């Protein structure tokens, strides 16, 4: 199997980070640059990534994530990537008017997929998080209060990377092939 398919197969959400093992900034930059190469509707790139890899600030981010009532595992996570939505460009806005599709969330989702797979390729583990105290995160990271934070990614080395069998809906339910 190619390395790419192996990456997809072995990636899994990490909820057991090694607090003793710091993440190299160089690796985080590599991962972010993979996100920046991500496609987006009319190349709008409606995102901003805030990378937190700081003993003090990472603890504050973990607390703000947990304030939403879950994700306790972030206490041992050394780094985070916060993704906020930026204005889409005029062409993307036009597309929304014409076909009634909002593209920014799709674009951010694709960029996040780049991040988690790029991380996996440099032996880092991740967990995407949709629950966090948005206002608190904005204060900690100095993100303008008018912006929407869409997702936060916990990133670090896994303490225990025992592979879990993937739980997915059956393909018969989720795929229709119309093929010759
Ligand atoms: C948009 C989104 C939000 C998520 N939010 C959380 C979260 O807040 N906490 C968490 O532990 N996992 C979260 N996850 C991870 C999912 O639970 C996980 O991807 C799913 O169960 C599949 O497991 P796997 O990633 O190990 O393959 C989120 C995933 C996505 C895509």
């Amino acid at each position: 199997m190619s390395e790419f398919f192996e990456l997809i197969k072995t990636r899994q959400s990490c909820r057991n980070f090694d607090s003793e093992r710091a993440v190299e900034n160089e690796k985080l930059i590599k991962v972010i640059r993979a996100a920046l190469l991500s496609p987006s509707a009319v190349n709008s790139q409606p995102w901003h990534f805030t990378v937190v890899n700081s003993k003090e600030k990472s603890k504050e981010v973990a607390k703000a994530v947990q304030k939403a009532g879950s994700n306790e595992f972030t206490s041992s996570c050394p780094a985070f990537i916060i993704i906020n939505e930026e204005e889409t460009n005029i062409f993307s806005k036009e597309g929304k008017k014409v076909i009634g599709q909002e593209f920014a969330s799709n674009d951010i989702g694709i960029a996040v997929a780049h991040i988690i797979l790029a991380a996996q390729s440099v032996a880092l583990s991740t967990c995407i998080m949709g629950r966090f105290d948005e206002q608190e995160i904005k204060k900690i990271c100095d993100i303008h209060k008018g912006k929407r934070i869409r997702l936060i990614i916990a990133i670090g080395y896994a303490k225990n990377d025992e592979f879990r069998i993937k739980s997915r809906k059956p393909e018969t339910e989720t795929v229709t092939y119309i093929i010759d």
Side-chain angles (χ1 to χ4, degrees):
M1 202 187 312
S2 84
E3 206 179 306
F4 179 72
F5 287 98
E6 193 57 30
L7 269 183
I8 289 178
K9 240 180 105 182
T10 51
R11 185 221 51 88
Q12 59 187 2
S13 294
C14 176
R15 299 184 184 88
N16 186 14
F17 288 98
D18 189 345
S19 58
E20 304 293 306
R21 210 168 156 198
V23 177
E24 301 84 345
N25 287 327
E26 298 68 33
K27 281 196 177 183
L28 290 174
I29 292 167
K30 217 170 173 179
V31 163
I32 287 295
R33 291 196 175 146
L36 299 180
L37 292 179
S38 173
S40 59
V42 281
N43 207 16
S44 184
Q45 303 163 65
W47 48 55
H48 186 88
F49 304 95
T50 302
V51 180
V52 182
N53 188 26
S54 139
K55 278 199 178 85
E56 194 188 312
K57 284 276 178 188
S58 295
K59 278 200 176 71
E60 288 180 36
V61 169
K63 267 196 194 141
V65 166
Q66 291 169 29
K67 251 179 126 181
S70 62
N71 295 325
E72 287 78 11
F73 67 87
T74 52
S75 294
S76 64
C77 183
F80 297 91
I81 300 172
I82 294 136
I83 302 128
N84 72 264
E85 187 176 325
E86 291 290 329
E87 278 281 289
T88 50
N89 66 23
I90 186 75
F91 304 108
S92 182
K93 280 196 190 111
E94 279 303 306
K96 185 177 169 184
K97 265 193 239 155
V98 176
I99 60 167
Q101 271 267 32
E102 186 272 312
F103 295 117
S105 321
N106 295 337
D107 298 336
I108 287 173
I110 298 166
V112 166
H114 275 216
I115 289 176
I116 62 177
L117 291 173
Q120 175 81 359
S121 81
V122 293
L124 289 171
S125 294
T126 55
C127 187
I128 303 168
M129 296 178 298
R131 286 188 73 169
F132 43 81
D133 183 324
E134 188 177 1
Q135 304 315 323
E136 195 65 26
I137 297 282
K138 284 182 197 169
K139 269 192 236 154
I140 296 164
C141 301
D142 203 18
I143 296 169
H144 190 276
K145 58 181 191 307
K147 305 280 181 197
R148 285 310 310 267
I149 298 175
R150 294 301 180 194
L151 290 169
I152 298 182
I153 301 176
I155 183 163
Y157 288 97
K159 199 163 190 182
N160 165 10
D161 40 15
E162 218 168 84
F163 181 69
R164 301 187 299 269
I165 299 292
K166 294 223 179 291
S167 156
R168 295 295 186 264
K169 292 180 182 176
E171 194 172 322
T172 46
E173 251 181 52
T174 54
V175 186
T176 302
Y177 291 102
I178 303 177
I179 51 178
D180 287 332

